[in-house]
Amino acid sequence: METVDVAIIGSGFGGLGMAIELKKSSTSSFVILERAQSVGGTWRENTYPGAECDVMSVLYSYSFYPNVWSKKYPAQAEILAYIEDVVDAFGLRGNLRFDRDIESVTYDDVSKRWTVRSANGDEVNARVVVSSVGQLNRPAYPHVDGFGSFAGPAFHSALWDHNVDLVGKRVGVIGTGASAIQFVPQVAKVASQTTIFQRSAPYVLPKENPAISARRKKLQGTFPQSQLFARAKTFALGEFLGLGILGNKKIRQRLKAMCLASMESIVQDPVLREQCTPDYEVGCKRILFADEWYQALIKEHVALETQAIASITTTGVTTSDGAHHDFDVLIYGTGFQTLDFLQPMTVIGRDGVTLEEQWNNGASAYRGVAVPGFPNFFMLYGPNTNLGSNSIIYMLESQARYVASLLEKARSAGQGVLEVRPTAQRSWDEMIAEFSGSTAWISGCHSWYTSNGRNTNNWPRATWRYQQMMKHVDLIDFDVRPSPALETSV
Ligand code: NAP
């Protein structure tokens, strides 16, 4: 069993960001446990054709390590290359442990330490655990009759089967979310027939993704700080659009008008227009950015099917009107299981209570990072820290810095165990509920952001406010106790 001071779970932007913060602090003893054989999180897993970020590249890097990107919006391979580069630039290779699919994380109140157990039997003993497993890591599939019975190739967008040749095939796609609108146009370029099953229409804005000029790239490579102004401008734009989602009615109406005008400029057919017009408040689900979505839908060999799916059969999909659609390949663009957060990992806290039991009324965590009853257990990208606009890396950086500062503050006070106070958690929950009230997320649509009408996943205020709040590190919100072993070298 390996014994360390801090065990980080996950090697995406969050886990690596946490590792970098620990390196900057006095904590040298840490490991990054990764279930796969390489780093990258969501950007390692989502390799579907057309996968690229819908946040502008200038904002899609750590603030302290800008990158020279090739396009306005970076593609999956380029982001993954950046993440690999980060590992080397910050000397993290030696801290990585691959093939560690974590099954359980168990606290022992006598030793005040955690045992982190992997599916392969490996165990790590740590004083502190930081889980950074993301919110979008477990594919969700539709609950429909006959699921799994399709005899041809069938796969989820996050588990793309690149061995399946789609050229000349009849392809069925279920879902019209952020992933589907990126891969459908690519599929439609080669398939003989593409049918998309839509349950609700997305709001889509044009993306416009030009290459970054050689001159600009040279400037950015020579003077990395030259990106700062563009970064601030892009951030401010995200904050402005975000106001519409958070509650500003004028901006919300403007966003809706922009989305519909963009759709109507491409889609002329009145039936298809009707089908492409969302029946819910703009911003309730993620607003999508694309240049090829509607252009794909108007192609002759592409069909948008809005009848509900009744069942999946060995040969295709039957819709509620009794029609049967035959396919050679079926692709699920049906998103992720987002409401259970850290599951299927079992996290057992101080009193033997699991995180799942603690969250039986919906997940919540103080500042999105800490839960009473789980001493020295922190989360990055936890409950209420997802965004409707702007870059999630900004949130992850704030969280990693906050956790590292908390540990440092406690260490300076000679303390090694931190457990958030239930009173702090309650005030936090009240604040989240209050600010969620005006957001588009709880205006009535079905999305991966809410559970029983409660906003469990998103940060309901301006993004900059979260960073300001996370800069304020105060042990008063925590019950702080001594730890038998403050640091064990790796
Ligand atoms: P998603 O947004 O949750 O979309 C899932 C889609 O599947 C929805 O259209 C949903 O319909 C549909 N669906 C589910 N069950 C269905 C059923 N039984 N019948 C018909 N349709 C069904 O998932 P995603 O597209 O994978 O995106 C998830 C998140 O990943 C995004 O919100 C975003 O945060 C992130 N993402 C980001 C990027 C990026 O560029 N940065 C790219 C891809 C994904 P309903 O809408 O009616 O539920």
Side-chain angles (χ1 to χ4, degrees), residues 211-225:
I212 293 170
S213 70
R215 213 171 118 233
R216 178 166 286 201
K217 281 197 286 194
K218 195 170 169 206
L219 176 73
Q220 292 176 348
T222 316
F223 304 106
Q225 298 311 319

PDB file of all heavy atoms in Angstrom, residues 211-225:
ATOM      1  N   ALA A 211      -9.256  29.774 -38.314  1.00  0.00           N
ATOM      2  CA  ALA A 211      -7.898  29.441 -37.855  1.00  0.00           C
ATOM      3  C   ALA A 211      -7.242  30.719 -37.331  1.00  0.00           C
ATOM      4  O   ALA A 211      -7.579  31.825 -37.775  1.00  0.00           O
ATOM      5  CB  ALA A 211      -7.104  28.875 -39.021  1.00  0.00           C
ATOM      6  N   ILE A 212      -6.343  30.567 -36.372  1.00  0.00           N
ATOM      7  CA  ILE A 212      -5.609  31.727 -35.861  1.00  0.00           C
ATOM      8  C   ILE A 212      -4.410  31.953 -36.790  1.00  0.00           C
ATOM      9  O   ILE A 212      -3.712  30.993 -37.143  1.00  0.00           O
ATOM     10  CB  ILE A 212      -5.198  31.505 -34.389  1.00  0.00           C
ATOM     11  CG1 ILE A 212      -6.481  31.469 -33.555  1.00  0.00           C
ATOM     12  CG2 ILE A 212      -4.237  32.587 -33.894  1.00  0.00           C
ATOM     13  CD1 ILE A 212      -6.337  31.039 -32.142  1.00  0.00           C
ATOM     14  N   SER A 213      -4.214  33.192 -37.203  1.00  0.00           N
ATOM     15  CA  SER A 213      -3.185  33.476 -38.223  1.00  0.00           C
ATOM     16  C   SER A 213      -1.787  33.153 -37.712  1.00  0.00           C
ATOM     17  O   SER A 213      -1.514  33.188 -36.504  1.00  0.00           O
ATOM     18  CB  SER A 213      -3.241  34.956 -38.627  1.00  0.00           C
ATOM     19  OG  SER A 213      -2.768  35.749 -37.546  1.00  0.00           O
ATOM     20  N   ALA A 214      -0.906  32.859 -38.661  1.00  0.00           N
ATOM     21  CA  ALA A 214       0.481  32.512 -38.312  1.00  0.00           C
ATOM     22  C   ALA A 214       1.134  33.672 -37.557  1.00  0.00           C
ATOM     23  O   ALA A 214       1.900  33.471 -36.608  1.00  0.00           O
ATOM     24  CB  ALA A 214       1.247  32.197 -39.583  1.00  0.00           C
ATOM     25  N   ARG A 215       0.790  34.896 -37.960  1.00  0.00           N
ATOM     26  CA  ARG A 215       1.386  36.079 -37.316  1.00  0.00           C
ATOM     27  C   ARG A 215       0.990  36.151 -35.842  1.00  0.00           C
ATOM     28  O   ARG A 215       1.809  36.356 -34.965  1.00  0.00           O
ATOM     29  CB  ARG A 215       0.915  37.333 -38.074  1.00  0.00           C
ATOM     30  CG  ARG A 215       1.971  38.412 -38.089  1.00  0.00           C
ATOM     31  CD  ARG A 215       1.607  39.548 -39.018  1.00  0.00           C
ATOM     32  NE  ARG A 215       1.478  40.755 -38.226  1.00  0.00           N
ATOM     33  CZ  ARG A 215       0.417  41.542 -38.237  1.00  0.00           C
ATOM     34  NH1 ARG A 215      -0.606  41.268 -39.006  1.00  0.00           N
ATOM     35  NH2 ARG A 215       0.381  42.613 -37.489  1.00  0.00           N
ATOM     36  N   ARG A 216      -0.326  35.937 -35.630  1.00  0.00           N
ATOM     37  CA  ARG A 216      -0.813  36.001 -34.244  1.00  0.00           C
ATOM     38  C   ARG A 216      -0.222  34.872 -33.388  1.00  0.00           C
ATOM     39  O   ARG A 216       0.160  35.083 -32.241  1.00  0.00           O
ATOM     40  CB  ARG A 216      -2.341  35.925 -34.235  1.00  0.00           C
ATOM     41  CG  ARG A 216      -2.904  35.934 -32.828  1.00  0.00           C
ATOM     42  CD  ARG A 216      -4.354  36.188 -32.798  1.00  0.00           C
ATOM     43  NE  ARG A 216      -4.633  37.579 -33.090  1.00  0.00           N
ATOM     44  CZ  ARG A 216      -5.764  38.189 -32.741  1.00  0.00           C
ATOM     45  NH1 ARG A 216      -6.698  37.518 -32.129  1.00  0.00           N
ATOM     46  NH2 ARG A 216      -5.962  39.445 -33.017  1.00  0.00           N
ATOM     47  N   LYS A 217      -0.113  33.699 -34.013  1.00  0.00           N
ATOM     48  CA  LYS A 217       0.444  32.565 -33.253  1.00  0.00           C
ATOM     49  C   LYS A 217       1.899  32.845 -32.872  1.00  0.00           C
ATOM     50  O   LYS A 217       2.334  32.522 -31.764  1.00  0.00           O
ATOM     51  CB  LYS A 217       0.349  31.283 -34.087  1.00  0.00           C
ATOM     52  CG  LYS A 217      -1.057  30.691 -34.067  1.00  0.00           C
ATOM     53  CD  LYS A 217      -1.097  29.250 -34.508  1.00  0.00           C
ATOM     54  CE  LYS A 217      -0.905  29.124 -35.974  1.00  0.00           C
ATOM     55  NZ  LYS A 217      -1.248  27.810 -36.505  1.00  0.00           N
ATOM     56  N   LYS A 218       2.620  33.463 -33.798  1.00  0.00           N
ATOM     57  CA  LYS A 218       4.030  33.785 -33.524  1.00  0.00           C
ATOM     58  C   LYS A 218       4.115  34.769 -32.350  1.00  0.00           C
ATOM     59  O   LYS A 218       4.910  34.593 -31.429  1.00  0.00           O
ATOM     60  CB  LYS A 218       4.665  34.381 -34.776  1.00  0.00           C
ATOM     61  CG  LYS A 218       6.171  34.404 -34.698  1.00  0.00           C
ATOM     62  CD  LYS A 218       6.792  34.755 -36.026  1.00  0.00           C
ATOM     63  CE  LYS A 218       8.277  35.022 -35.800  1.00  0.00           C
ATOM     64  NZ  LYS A 218       8.830  35.903 -36.795  1.00  0.00           N
ATOM     65  N   LEU A 219       3.238  35.772 -32.405  1.00  0.00           N
ATOM     66  CA  LEU A 219       3.216  36.775 -31.330  1.00  0.00           C
ATOM     67  C   LEU A 219       2.897  36.106 -29.981  1.00  0.00           C
ATOM     68  O   LEU A 219       3.565  36.344 -28.967  1.00  0.00           O
ATOM     69  CB  LEU A 219       2.159  37.842 -31.658  1.00  0.00           C
ATOM     70  CG  LEU A 219       1.940  38.900 -30.584  1.00  0.00           C
ATOM     71  CD1 LEU A 219       3.118  39.873 -30.546  1.00  0.00           C
ATOM     72  CD2 LEU A 219       0.634  39.678 -30.814  1.00  0.00           C
ATOM     73  N   GLN A 220       1.886  35.213 -30.001  1.00  0.00           N
ATOM     74  CA  GLN A 220       1.477  34.556 -28.753  1.00  0.00           C
ATOM     75  C   GLN A 220       2.572  33.623 -28.222  1.00  0.00           C
ATOM     76  O   GLN A 220       2.746  33.484 -27.015  1.00  0.00           O
ATOM     77  CB  GLN A 220       0.191  33.766 -28.982  1.00  0.00           C
ATOM     78  CG  GLN A 220      -1.003  34.681 -29.243  1.00  0.00           C
ATOM     79  CD  GLN A 220      -2.263  33.913 -29.575  1.00  0.00           C
ATOM     80  OE1 GLN A 220      -2.238  32.717 -29.826  1.00  0.00           O
ATOM     81  NE2 GLN A 220      -3.385  34.611 -29.574  1.00  0.00           N
ATOM     82  N   GLY A 221       3.305  32.983 -29.183  1.00  0.00           N
ATOM     83  CA  GLY A 221       4.391  32.088 -28.765  1.00  0.00           C
ATOM     84  C   GLY A 221       5.526  32.874 -28.133  1.00  0.00           C
ATOM     85  O   GLY A 221       6.132  32.452 -27.148  1.00  0.00           O
ATOM     86  N   THR A 222       5.813  34.053 -28.684  1.00  0.00           N
ATOM     87  CA  THR A 222       6.925  34.866 -28.177  1.00  0.00           C
ATOM     88  C   THR A 222       6.529  35.597 -26.892  1.00  0.00           C
ATOM     89  O   THR A 222       7.302  35.667 -25.946  1.00  0.00           O
ATOM     90  CB  THR A 222       7.347  35.909 -29.248  1.00  0.00           C
ATOM     91  OG1 THR A 222       7.388  35.262 -30.510  1.00  0.00           O
ATOM     92  CG2 THR A 222       8.713  36.476 -28.945  1.00  0.00           C
ATOM     93  N   PHE A 223       5.313  36.143 -26.907  1.00  0.00           N
ATOM     94  CA  PHE A 223       4.844  36.886 -25.724  1.00  0.00           C
ATOM     95  C   PHE A 223       3.520  36.277 -25.234  1.00  0.00           C
ATOM     96  O   PHE A 223       2.435  36.769 -25.597  1.00  0.00           O
ATOM     97  CB  PHE A 223       4.620  38.365 -26.052  1.00  0.00           C
ATOM     98  CG  PHE A 223       5.814  39.054 -26.630  1.00  0.00           C
ATOM     99  CD1 PHE A 223       5.869  39.373 -27.981  1.00  0.00           C
ATOM    100  CD2 PHE A 223       6.899  39.383 -25.814  1.00  0.00           C
ATOM    101  CE1 PHE A 223       6.978  40.001 -28.517  1.00  0.00           C
ATOM    102  CE2 PHE A 223       8.012  40.013 -26.352  1.00  0.00           C
ATOM    103  CZ  PHE A 223       8.057  40.322 -27.707  1.00  0.00           C
ATOM    104  N   PRO A 224       3.579  35.214 -24.448  1.00  0.00           N
ATOM    105  CA  PRO A 224       2.354  34.543 -24.011  1.00  0.00           C
ATOM    106  C   PRO A 224       1.355  35.498 -23.357  1.00  0.00           C
ATOM    107  O   PRO A 224       0.148  35.328 -23.495  1.00  0.00           O
ATOM    108  CB  PRO A 224       2.852  33.503 -22.998  1.00  0.00           C
ATOM    109  CG  PRO A 224       4.283  33.278 -23.352  1.00  0.00           C
ATOM    110  CD  PRO A 224       4.788  34.562 -23.923  1.00  0.00           C
ATOM    111  N   GLN A 225       1.887  36.545 -22.703  1.00  0.00           N
ATOM    112  CA  GLN A 225       0.979  37.464 -21.994  1.00  0.00           C
ATOM    113  C   GLN A 225       0.143  38.317 -22.952  1.00  0.00           C
ATOM    114  O   GLN A 225      -0.801  38.993 -22.544  1.00  0.00           O
ATOM    115  CB  GLN A 225       1.767  38.383 -21.040  1.00  0.00           C
ATOM    116  CG  GLN A 225       2.519  37.637 -19.945  1.00  0.00           C
ATOM    117  CD  GLN A 225       1.622  36.619 -19.226  1.00  0.00           C
ATOM    118  OE1 GLN A 225       0.478  36.876 -18.939  1.00  0.00           O
ATOM    119  NE2 GLN A 225       2.177  35.436 -18.958  1.00  0.00           N
TER     120      GLN A 225
END
